Amino acid sequence: MNRIAVLTSGGDAPGMNAAVRAVVRKAIFEEFEVAGIFNGYQGLIEGKVELLQLGSVGDIIQRGGTMLRSARSVEFRTPEGREKALQQLELHGIEGVVVIGGDGSFRGALELTKLGIPCVGVPATIDNDIQGTDFTIGFDTALNTVIDSIDKIRDTASSHERTFIVEVMGRDAGDLALWAGLAGGAETILIPEEKYEVPAIIERLKNGSGRGKKHSIIIVAEGVMPASELADILKREANIDTHISVLGHIQRGGSPSARDRVIASQFGARAVELLKEGRGGVAVGMKNNGIVEYDIKDDEGSTNDWKAEMYTLSKELSI
Ligand code: ADP
């Protein structure tokens, strides 16, 4: 193998740049040529490929977003689109690809591997929803952004004795909401993995105020319902007034945390080693603090193992 490539795909996450840097530098260290594919799979289909040097990835380790830019590609989901992508890889003499992205991007990587170009996945998504790894790049940074917001909301909530509902990202995965709720001391956490009961939420709020609590914070993952809907329910069912805060895309931005930069560096470098060994259809990750690799699965909708114990703990600590 002489030349490999790297691309970022799907939803962007802080730390993707640090992973790109690690792939490029490790590849050059291993005496490969390394190309950057811009705009994800769509850019590959369109031939947006450029050789990168050591200096091409200078001064990006601390930057959010991705210098290779990211995209979603409907065309790549079709066999014809993937055939075009394959032709571009052959045209540019690329013999292996590191795909930095989420679950969907990994399935794309598996499809390319099946066509004969080994691809290795590097998990990067703020949702932390990739089976096979305890953590994904971007999760820690997003979590800290959410905590920062909750702390600020808590200041104003306690000054005015208010109940706040904070909506965080997570359509199918509640990791961000759960970790943020636990770290932020939220009274109630609603996540897609666990059933919720409105009377129980109301009872917790009433018990809290009965004990003289000055404020209450409810964290709701977007996949459960919008914060506004929960506010309407609480008003209608119990005449409880709430304020809502929808954090939105600020959760995707910002300079990556030290932890995200470190795991991005470790994941990126390991991905290059795997390509060197001729491996494809696999992804890197972290289990029990060690760097691991695992097969990318064909099935849709994989999520990380649900941390039921953590959910129980959050309830025990927030009564
Ligand atoms: P993420 O990687 O963040 O989960 P997406 O699910 O949007 O984001 O996937 C990113 C891109 O990966 C898609 O736009 C598509 O081009 C490609 N992709 C996703 N699923 C598949 C699939 N089953 N087969 C081929 N390509 C796919």
Side-chain angles (χ1 to χ4, degrees):
M1 198 176 279
N2 289 315
R3 183 178 290 177
I4 65 168
V6 55
L7 63 80
T8 51
S9 164
D12 65 315
M16 277 184 158
N17 271 330
V20 171
R21 172 181 178 272
V23 171
V24 170
R25 298 230 164 136
K26 178 71 172 177
I28 293 172
F29 178 81
E30 297 290 351
E31 299 184 338
F32 290 129
E33 284 181 333
V34 57
I37 297 168
F38 290 79
N39 293 76
Y41 293 123
Q42 191 56 38
L44 175 58
I45 289 170
E46 293 164 11
K48 292 185 179 159
V49 180
E50 228 173 77
L51 273 187
L52 300 175
Q53 311 301 334
L54 289 174
S56 313
V57 291
D59 201 28
I60 63 165
I61 195 167
Q62 79 284 16
R63 291 186 205 281
T66 159
M67 66 164 265
L68 294 178
R69 297 189 294 280
S70 190
R72 293 200 157 93
S73 172
V74 176
E75 199 177 353
F76 188 78
R77 288 177 182 268
T78 66
E80 297 75 28
R82 292 197 290 276
E83 193 52 43
K84 285 188 200 166
L86 183 66
Q87 282 169 12
Q88 287 293 341
L89 290 171
E90 284 168 356
L91 185 69
H92 289 91
I94 294 165
E95 296 161 280
V97 183
V98 176
V99 172
I100 302 169
D103 210 31
S105 304
F106 279 17
R107 279 197 293 277
L110 188 58
E111 294 298 329
L112 265 187
T113 303
K114 286 180 190 162
L115 294 177
I117 302 284
C119 296
V120 175
V122 168
T125 157
I126 65 162
D127 292 337
N128 207 38
D129 62 346
I130 296 188
Q131 194 131 49
T133 183
D134 289 341
F135 294 104
T136 57
I137 298 166
F139 175 63
D140 184 64
T141 306
L143 178 59
N144 280 293
T145 301
V146 175
I147 296 304
D148 196 42
S149 304
I150 293 176
D151 289 349
K152 287 174 179 151
I153 286 166
R154 185 184 278 283
D155 287 345
T156 169
S158 65
S159 306
H160 293 276
E161 309 200 359
R162 281 174 175 160
T163 297
F164 262 85
I165 304 171
V166 182
E167 181 186 315
V168 307
M169 281 185 170
R171 240 168 267 142
D172 305 305
D175 284 49
L176 195 55
L178 177 59
W179 283 65
L182 188 56
E187 276 70 23
T188 299
I189 305 169
L190 302 187
I191 46 186
E193 294 88 342
E194 292 281 335
K195 281 209 171 75
Y196 70 91
E197 308 220 334
V198 172
I201 301 171
I202 292 169
E203 198 187 318
R204 280 171 87 81
L205 287 172
K206 289 196 165 155
N207 285 348
S209 67
R211 283 189 296 108
K213 265 197 168 182
K214 289 206 176 59
H215 59 265
S216 229
I217 293 180
I218 300 171
I219 308 284
V220 59
E222 64 181 339
V224 177
M225 70 176 115
S228 55
E229 194 178 320
L230 181 58
D232 289 346
I233 292 173
L234 294 177
K235 181 68 183 167
R236 195 174 58 235
E237 307 272 320
N239 201 26
I240 294 174
D241 289 312
T242 55
H243 285 67
I244 62 173
S245 180
V246 180
L247 300 186
H249 279 80
I250 62 160
Q251 295 164 94
R252 287 250 186 101
S255 177
S257 69
R259 186 180 165 82
D260 275 335
R261 297 181 203 190
V262 170
I263 64 169
S265 303
Q266 291 173 309
F267 289 179
R270 183 73 189 118
V272 172
E273 284 170 1
L274 288 172
L275 282 184
K276 194 181 174 195
E277 292 165 17
R279 308 269 305 274
V282 292
V284 299
M286 175 175 281
K287 278 277 174 195
N288 301 320
N289 288 323
I291 304 298
V292 294
E293 67 244 16
Y294 46 94
D295 290 334
I296 297 173
K297 300 254 170 39
D298 258 326
D299 54 326
E300 298 269 330
S302 58
T303 59
N304 208 345
D305 299 336
W306 179 240
K307 295 155 188 98
E309 280 175 27
M310 207 164 143
Y311 184 70
T312 307
L313 177 66
S314 76
K315 282 190 146 175
E316 288 169 358
L317 299 187
S318 64
I319 13 168

